[in-house]
């Protein structure tokens, strides 16, 4: 039974008819409440797209039922977007159609095979929940996100997420052994690596068979162009991974590589088989203090050369905000002040692995750092080391809190995500960042920087007031300038958080020929452009990228709220949508009402909407 709707909340007729038909054969929930729709209209981006309704499937079969019904001629206008934790920074899962939220019910760890080192999970499982299940077996799922306590595996797969330590651990796609997905016709696609000689026996009469045949052929034919066009970056995300769908010897084909990073535009991923990484026997961290952020950036390549597992950085802005936050009480002893020196940059270097190897690498780096301090080299003013796991986790907690710290900055301008995950070759990072900073300084903007210097990725969130129409225009200007700047340095604008509305910059990155291949792939999977339409790429001659950097933003709605009301509820207005109130951990006080009910409208983020 569908809830009654008031006249202000009436759905489009085709959607209402679709939902009424679906209700007869759907085990999950169908939520048409305006409150449920509005809380799913936002993520950690500046955008706001109101969906028609939210579907909470209980199984792959439920997702099949949705797609099979949608295949009927009378429902061809109905469109969908899959959603997990809602932590996207570029509107990836936002839609004006139907949300398929897999996080409420499809959140189980289905199987752990410790002997062979893999696990099978549903797409809605939270990353930290998976690691809690793996820890007794001595393993973890290694891509490490700052939002790991609410980000789901399905979201990680769809954005090909990575994080700290990616030079060693890789991206999510490097750990996917197989996927179960529901295609637009309601059929199920089970994708996994297959030998090239087996391609000839694939059933070409099915949609899955046609996809395998077409994509294996075009990616083989365009392989040299792909390798020439794409920069050699650890974090290079193509959206549809044209390069790695074939292995280097062209002896193995893996369609899953096209789906990882596809942001729900090709299929609805419901399950994944992933490989696991043994928990390191020993960990050690060195917190290196610098006289400037530039010094920290320019010193980073030598830290990578020291075979570190992780090299993370934060600038003076983030450090200053951390000092004013309660989180500083947990890390102040680990980042002590240096008498007579001011710390304006910090690199956090971790070594993980066997005890003897970790201790040897740590000792070697400490000797080099001590000599550099003695000689006044590289801007190093001090360092502290620890082997204590709890202390290391506290440092990472401070670093992971950087987004929230920046978002709590005073004033109407707030640091926002839109150009926050640029990626360039690590050896060019310092020069790139200096030019990036000059760009932002030229617009007289405040900003903080933190990120993964080992992979050439820095998170940069300029402070803008989205209630100010001039700042909204400035967002477009800066987006265009950053997109051009990253290409100048041999990188790209999206190095970790996917494209979303930034798909409009795709043609400049891929070139006409390869962008045409992306359009073909989208058309083969989704010829009527119904799966997360308007994002990444559209089929040739059937749809367009109608979502872009200028798409509807929360600020345009906030401007309708009287200024006095906004000022009376600052905590509500300042919510940046990063979803911390959806924290999986039972030990976190955020958010008890959501944890108890599983209903996102019971969260602080819902109050913001």
């Amino acid at each position: 039974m569908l809830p009654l709707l008031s006249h202000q909340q009436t759905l489009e007729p085709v959607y209402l008819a679709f939902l009424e038909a679906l209700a007869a054969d759907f085990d999950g929930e169908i939520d048409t409440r305006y409150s449920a729709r509005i809380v799913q209209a936002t993520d950690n981006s500046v955008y706001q797209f109101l969906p028609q309704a939210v579907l909470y499937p209980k199984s792959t079969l439920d997702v099949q039922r949705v797609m099979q019904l949608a295949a009927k001629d009378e429902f061809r206008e109905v469109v969908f977007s899959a959603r997990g934790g809602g932590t996207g920074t570029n509107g990836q899962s936002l839609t004006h159609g139907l949300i398929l939220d897999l996080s409420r019910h499809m959140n189980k760890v289905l199987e752990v095979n410790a002997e062979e080192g893999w696990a099978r999970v549903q797409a809605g499982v939270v990353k930290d929940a998976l690691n809690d299940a793996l820890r007794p077996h001595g393993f973890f799922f290694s891509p490490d996100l700052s939002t790991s306590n609410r980000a789901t595996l399905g979201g990680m797969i769809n954005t090909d997420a990575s994080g700290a330590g990616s030079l060693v651990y890789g991206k999510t796609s490097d750990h996917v052994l197989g996927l179960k997905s529901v295609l637009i016709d309601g059929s199920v696609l089970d994708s996994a690596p297959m030998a090239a000689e087996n391609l000839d026996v694939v059933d070409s009469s099915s949609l899955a068979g046609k996809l395998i045949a077409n994509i294996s052929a075009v990616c083989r034919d365009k392989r040299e162009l792909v390798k020439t066009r794409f920069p050699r970056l650890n974090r290079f995300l193509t959206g549809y991974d044209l390069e790695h769908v074939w292995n280097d010897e062209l002896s193995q084909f893996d369609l899953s590589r096209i789906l990882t990073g596809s942001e729900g535009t090709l299929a609805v991923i419901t399950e994944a088989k992933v490989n696991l990484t043994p928990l390191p026997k020993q960990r050690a961290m060195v917190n290196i203090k610098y006289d400037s952020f530039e010094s920290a950036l320019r010193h980073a390549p030598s830290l990578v050369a020291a075979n570190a597992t992780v090299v993370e950085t934060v600038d003076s802005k983030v450090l200053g905000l951390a000092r004013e936050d309660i989180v500083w009480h947990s890390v102040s002893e680990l980042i002590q002040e240096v008498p007579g020196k001011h710390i304006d940059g910090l690199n956090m270097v971790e070594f993980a692995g066997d005890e003897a190897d970790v201790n040897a690498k740590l000792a070697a780096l400490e000797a080099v750092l001590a000599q550099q301090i003695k000689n006044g080299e590289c801007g190093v003013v001090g360092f502290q080391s620890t082997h204590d796991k709890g202390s290391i986790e506290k440092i990472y907690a401070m670093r992971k809190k950087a987004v929230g710290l920046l978002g709590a900055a005073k004033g109407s301008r707030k640091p926002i995500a839109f150009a926050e995950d640029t990626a360039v070759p690590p050896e060019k990072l310092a020069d790139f960042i200096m030019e990036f900073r000059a760009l932002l300084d030229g617009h007289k903007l405040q900003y903080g920087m933190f990120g993964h210097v080992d992979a050439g990725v820095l998170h940069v969130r300029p402070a803008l007031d989205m209630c100010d129409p001039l700042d909204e225009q400035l967002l477009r200007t800066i987006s265009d300038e950053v997109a051009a700047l990253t290409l100048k340095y041999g990188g790209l604008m999206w190095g970790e958080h996917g494209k979303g509305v930034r798909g409009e910059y795709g043609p400049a990155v891929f070139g006409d020929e390869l962008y045409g291949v992306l359009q073909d792939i989208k058309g083969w999977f989704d010829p009527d452009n119904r799966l997360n339409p308007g994002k990444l790429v559209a089929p040739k001659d059937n749809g367009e990228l109608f979502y872009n950097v200028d798409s509807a933003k929360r600020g345009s709605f906030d401007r309708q709220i009287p200024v006095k009301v906004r000022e009376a509820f600052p905590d509500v207005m300042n919510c940046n949508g990063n979803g911390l109130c959806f924290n999986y951990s039972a030990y976190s006080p955020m958010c008890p009402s959501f944890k108890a009910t599983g209903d996102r409208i019971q969260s602080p983020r819902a109050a913001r909407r």
Side-chain angles (χ1 to χ4, degrees), residues 363-432:
L365 178 57
E366 288 176 328
V368 170
L369 293 172
Q371 191 64 41
Q372 288 172 334
I373 293 173
K374 180 179 179 180
N375 297 337
E377 297 173 345
C378 303
V380 180
V381 299
F383 67 91
Q384 287 178 254
S385 304
T386 180
H387 285 82
D388 179 63
K389 178 183 175 183
S391 297
I392 294 171
E393 294 302 327
K394 288 176 183 178
I395 291 291
Y396 280 136
M398 184 271 289
R399 172 23 208 106
K400 287 185 175 185
K401 199 174 182 181
V403 172
L405 293 172
L406 289 169
K410 297 178 181 179
S412 58
R413 280 183 160 179
K414 300 295 182 182
I416 57 175
F418 67 97
E420 83 293 346
D421 58 333
T422 55
V424 300
E427 65 274 13
K428 298 181 180 180
L429 180 63
D431 290 337
F432 166 76

Side-chain angles (χ1 to χ4, degrees), residues 162-171 174 234-235 309-310 452 454-455:
S162 50
S166 65
L167 282 188
V168 174
Y169 297 129
K171 307 189 298 290
D174 299 317
N234 166 265
R235 296 297 187 84
T309 306
V310 178
H452 323 292
D454 49 2

